[in-house]
Amino acid sequence: MGLGVPSDGLAPTPPMGWNSWNRFGPFISEKLVLETADALVESGMRDAGYRYVVIDDAWEESLRDEDGELRENRWAFPHGMRWLSDEIHRRGLRFGLYTCAGTHTCQGYPASHGCEARDARRFAGWGVDFMKVDWCHTRDLGLDGPATYATWSEAIRGCGRPMVFSICEWGRHRPWEWAPSLGHMWRTGPDILDTWPSLMDTLDRQAALAAFAGPDHWNDPDMLEVGNGGMSDDEYRTHFSLWAMLAAPLMAGNDVRAMSDATRAILTAPEVIAIDQDPLGRQGTRVRKDADAEVWSRQLADGSRAVLLLARGSAPQRIGITWRALGLEPGSRIVRDVWERADVARDDEGLELEIAPHGAALVTLRTNTPA
Ligand code: GLA
């Protein structure tokens, strides 16, 4: 835990779940959410750790009710949010919902400016366990990022129900410097797109932020695009490996009801998830960056190390790294490929692997003797 950061234990490891936005945008409904909840259970994703089912923007009715309360669009959510929340909870899952700090959400629905405490209580009444607060339509109000999210933090803590608080101001006000004491996770940059250049741009924004994260306060590079079709399965494997190294929240953003076996295998890879969820909560750092080759390293709770070798360009790369360059004592280490779930080498000096274009190797290093 970072110095001076209060810890409430709601997000001891990076939150995992599913969010409707990346795949479905505003085209959401009760039916979609329930089918997704069922698919999370049936596919094994829930048991792999994906617990939060988060409904993003466009669930709202276009006006508040006569008492000034936010309400759901009853055409898309005919049984209402309380009912849906109960159904989600009945499946052993948790319920997440979205609002915005400005006058309107990014999709133009009523948002929460000036109603922070009231809306947090409304969400609590619906059984919400996770609240994402976005940043659209704040400019005309001249809102200050840290002050606004401090108001939210107080509203959520005072609403009568424990909720994970997800701050989403797109990294505009260097949230890593003030958000750790206010929320459990904060977006570090603009929206991710389902493309390789966007993935690399998103990655580069994380490189200097490792020191700010830890249990109950995580950098959020954005939700996963795995399975959405814009990248290859190999690129998605790289995406997922990188998020694990970054101790990033793992919010699946695909159509879980209709995913391929390859997508399911990526999203549920147990040893990759174990790195993401490592209890030490130490975010990985980039230890080497050449033109098209990078090495990232992450310290794990059991004393072992996760190492990722990344080939960013369109040609294969031979990437090597010595134990010394990783800051490790010389000596014999077992190299384990966490995707293959197999020990693949043992070496006294270091590691060198051929990496396919846009590929990544994700391994752990351990000494012969238990740490
Ligand atoms: C912003 C957020 C996204 C999503 C949309 C919804 O762009 O960054 O994650 O919530 O709004 O409109």
Side-chain angles (χ1 to χ4, degrees):
M1 194 192 346
L3 231 53
V5 177
S7 193
D8 58 16
L10 289 179
T13 60
M16 294 175 67
W18 173 86
N19 176 300
S20 55
W21 186 255
N22 279 357
R23 171 66 179 78
F24 297 98
F27 305 107
I28 53 175
S29 67
E30 171 184 299
K31 182 167 179 290
L32 167 70
V33 173
L34 275 184
E35 287 175 1
T36 300
D38 286 336
L40 287 170
V41 176
E42 281 155 22
S43 64
M45 281 181 66
R46 179 195 63 189
D47 293 343
Y50 296 85
R51 301 299 291 278
Y52 292 95
V53 176
V54 184
I55 304 178
D56 207 281
D57 201 353
W59 61 267
E60 308 88 345
E61 182 53 75
S62 53
L63 290 173
R64 288 179 180 259
D65 71 13
E66 59 270 22
D67 299 324
E69 297 282 7
L70 281 178
R71 54 184 166 170
E72 61 284 76
N73 172 345
R74 285 277 174 164
W75 181 79
F77 296 90
H79 293 91
M81 283 302 168
R82 179 72 235 190
W83 179 87
L84 186 52
S85 164
D86 290 343
E87 287 297 312
I88 289 169
H89 288 136
R90 240 168 29 84
R91 288 161 173 79
L93 295 160
R94 297 180 187 140
F95 181 39
L97 206 53
Y98 163 104
T99 188
C100 207
T103 51
H104 294 86
T105 72
C106 301
Q107 294 298 303
Y109 292 96
S112 297
H113 175 63
C115 303
E116 293 81 5
R118 159 191 282 244
D119 290 352
R121 281 196 304 273
R122 175 77 157 165
F123 281 29
W126 282 340
V128 166
D129 309 294
F130 177 110
M131 192 156 169
K132 172 174 170 181
V133 181
D134 208 347
W135 192 243
C136 278
H137 301 286
T138 53
R139 193 184 306 164
D140 292 347
L141 300 167
L143 289 190
D144 173 67
T148 304
Y149 284 102
T151 302
W152 270 109
S153 186
E154 209 176 303
I156 290 171
R157 284 174 207 194
C159 76
R161 186 174 172 92
M163 287 181 196
V164 169
F165 179 23
S166 166
I167 293 173
C168 178
E169 50 74 90
W170 322 312
R172 289 276 173 87
H173 311 84
R174 302 178 63 79
W176 43 89
E177 289 175 355
W178 46 266
S181 62
L182 301 180
H184 300 96
M185 52 195 267
W186 56 86
R187 282 274 298 279
T188 55
D191 290 10
I192 194 171
L193 304 174
D194 190 12
T195 66
W196 180 257
S198 170
L199 183 66
M200 291 299 100
D201 176 64
T202 305
L203 175 66
D204 289 338
R205 291 171 187 277
Q206 316 311 315
L209 303 183
F212 300 98
D216 280 325
H217 55 286
W218 307 102
N219 286 304
D220 176 11
D222 206 355
M223 304 169 294
L224 296 164
E225 292 284 10
V226 174
N228 281 337
M231 290 187 266
S232 68
D233 287 337
D234 284 342
E235 290 170 326
Y236 287 138
R237 223 165 275 124
T238 301
H239 178 9
F240 202 66
S241 299
L242 287 166
W243 264 227
M245 290 299 282
L246 294 170
L250 297 179
M251 302 303 289
N254 61 314
D255 188 347
V256 177
R257 304 166 307 170
M259 64 186 161
S260 67
D261 290 345
T263 296
R264 199 190 62 82
I266 293 169
L267 291 172
T268 58
E271 294 189 15
V272 184
I273 292 176
I275 292 174
D276 181 78
Q277 297 286 303
D278 182 75
L280 188 60
R282 188 78 55 87
Q283 181 175 326
T285 55
R286 184 153 62 190
V287 293
R288 212 177 81 206
K289 176 165 173 53
D290 304 333
D292 277 339
E294 292 184 10
V295 180
W296 290 71
S297 165
R298 179 171 176 187
Q299 206 179 318
L300 301 176
D302 67 0
S304 68
R305 202 59 94 86
V307 176
L308 179 141
L309 311 177
L310 170 66
R312 293 178 71 127
S314 47
Q317 297 273 326
R318 251 203 114 64
I319 305 176
I321 188 86
T322 61
W323 302 159
R324 190 182 301 278
L326 289 167
L328 297 172
E329 299 291 320
S332 175
R333 287 197 168 68
I334 295 164
V335 179
R336 181 173 181 83
D337 183 323
V338 298
W339 283 104
E340 295 300 327
R341 303 173 72 184
D343 294 345
V344 289
R346 177 200 294 263
D347 204 282
D348 291 341
E349 305 284 334
L351 153 82
E352 189 175 292
L353 290 170
E354 175 90 6
I355 312 294
H358 296 184
L362 181 57
V363 301
T364 54
L365 308 177
R366 63 178 201 276
T367 49
N368 288 329
T369 46

